[in-house]
Amino acid sequence: MSFDPATLRYNADGLLPCIAQDATSGEVLMMAWMNAEAVAKTLETRRVTYWSRSRQAFWIKGETSGHTQDLVDFRIDCDRDCLLALVNQEGAACHTNRRTCFYTSVTDGEEVELMKPMS
């Protein structure tokens, strides 16, 4: 069965969340938004492409930083309203230059920084 990005369930802004996960380690790297065209571009080029809500423009992960995400597998959740991109991540996934965006833990009511930026 062929895939059509229009069959996904987008929010009122025409977007849906995409979680990027390291294809080898299983580490959750980041979450960003995609629209139908970003989905299509990602599948066509195998370079993960997101939609920047602040810039109102497409951004190919790593286009300026060199911290690329090459698509290994692309999965759709059961409700068709969230995506999972299994990727080969080169360098940091987070704009703070950390491996993952999820570097803060709440432990006993306190925020704890789990990792420093990459050198």
Side-chain angles (χ1 to χ4, degrees), residues 2 14 16 25-26 32 35 40 43 48-49 60 67 69 88-89 95 97 102 107 113:
S2 68
L16 72 167
S25 71
N35 61 16
L43 293 172
V48 183
T49 302
I60 300 168
H67 300 168
Q69 290 180 346
N88 287 328
Q89 175 71 46
H95 75 281
N97 205 37
F102 300 97
T107 306
E113 183 180 63

Side-chain angles (χ1 to χ4, degrees), residues 70-96:
D70 294 320
L71 187 67
V72 174
D73 195 11
F74 195 76
R75 299 184 184 177
I76 305 164
D77 83 329
C78 57
D79 293 325
R80 302 186 71 81
D81 63 358
C82 187
L83 303 171
L84 176 64
L86 298 173
V87 302
N88 287 328
Q89 175 71 46
E90 181 67 38
C94 184
H95 75 281
T96 66

Side-chain angles (χ1 to χ4, degrees), residues 9 11 15 19 44 63 76 78 86 88 99 105 108 117:
R9 295 179 56 200
N11 68 15
L15 302 172
I19 299 164
E44 177 186 325
E63 191 171 45
I76 305 164
C78 57
L86 298 173
N88 287 328
R99 172 77 181 158
S105 174
D108 297 326

Side-chain angles (χ1 to χ4, degrees), residues 5-117:
T7 65
L8 298 173
R9 295 179 56 200
Y10 301 90
N11 68 15
D13 296 322
L15 302 172
L16 72 167
C18 180
I19 299 164
Q21 182 178 23
D22 187 282
T24 303
S25 71
E27 181 179 30
V28 176
L29 301 170
M30 59 177 281
M31 189 289 291
W33 297 93
M34 287 187 173
N35 61 16
E37 193 172 346
V39 170
K41 287 175 183 280
T42 296
L43 293 172
E44 177 186 325
T45 66
R46 311 301 288 179
R47 294 282 310 278
V48 183
T49 302
Y50 299 105
W51 177 257
S52 170
R53 295 176 301 163
S54 60
R55 293 185 304 246
Q56 291 292 295
F58 293 104
W59 57 284
I60 300 168
K61 185 66 177 164
E63 191 171 45
T64 57
S65 68
H67 300 168
T68 58
Q69 290 180 346
D70 294 320
L71 187 67
V72 174
D73 195 11
F74 195 76
R75 299 184 184 177
I76 305 164
D77 83 329
C78 57
D79 293 325
R80 302 186 71 81
D81 63 358
C82 187
L83 303 171
L84 176 64
L86 298 173
V87 302
N88 287 328
Q89 175 71 46
E90 181 67 38
C94 184
H95 75 281
T96 66
N97 205 37
R98 289 174 174 86
R99 172 77 181 158
T100 173
C101 293
F102 300 97
Y103 61 88
T104 303
S105 174
V106 177
T107 306
D108 297 326
E110 299 292 324
E111 287 191 29
V112 178
E113 183 180 63
L114 301 174
M115 69 185 68
K116 299 288 183 196

